[in-house]
Amino acid sequence: KAGVTQTPRYLIKTRGQQVTLSCSPISGHRSVSWYQQTPGQGLQFLFEYFSETQRNKGNFPGRFSGRQFSNSRSEMNVSTLELGDSALYLCASSHSGSNTGELFFGEGSRLTVL
Amino acid sequence: ILNVEQSPQSLHVQEGDSTNFTCSFPSSNFYALHWYRWETAKSPEALFVMTLNGDEKKKGRISATLNTKEGYSYLYIKGSQPEDSATYLCACHYSNYQLIWGAGTKLIIKP
């Protein structure tokens, strides 16, 4: 069974640009959540999608958005990039998104904003 | 604002020694606690998901306990090995499905 796949793995952008990151969950998993990790910080929750609906959203500005497609693949977009957006972005999937379902993480997309 | 705290922030342990660390969390509206291991250059990997007060889980040399009334969980590693070196993350589910993550405990095993 293929794991969670995130693309691209690494990318470099400049301030003001926008970026789209992609996440393909494990087959059969309907919940996809996104996290940001910066040096010295824990995982910061961005949002969670379940069956194409955003079920939960973290405390990030509106420049951060996401969506989920009917095949459960998800994308997140960051517009008007700032230096502080440089981070590792992790995506995780779970079968049902229930409170007791373990998460399966991708390897992340490392974004550098210059 | 819900806050999950992990201590210590980092830990150096001699190979063969046993160790433990703590995750503290608000107990109101608590649903579940997750432990993950995150090795360098890899993805976080689930260790345990725990829901019931007094729950104990074990996987090989690693075990965890949960006290939902007082809001803490301990992770124990018996006979530490170099491959145990990783950051151990704890996260708690509350009623809104959102997982609140601790900042992690970085464990370094000294040979």
Side-chain angles (χ1 to χ4, degrees), chain A residues 27-41:
Chain A
S27 178
H29 284 194
R30 293 161 65 191
S31 168
V32 174
S33 50
W34 288 90
Y35 297 88
Q36 181 196 65
Q37 203 233 2
T38 50
Q41 299 287 320

Side-chain angles (χ1 to χ4, degrees), chain A residues 6-19:
Chain A
Q6 289 189 246
T7 57
R9 293 288 314 281
Y10 302 91
L11 64 166
I12 300 173
K13 294 283 187 178
T14 55
R15 279 184 298 174
Q17 287 188 309
Q18 68 95 26
V19 66

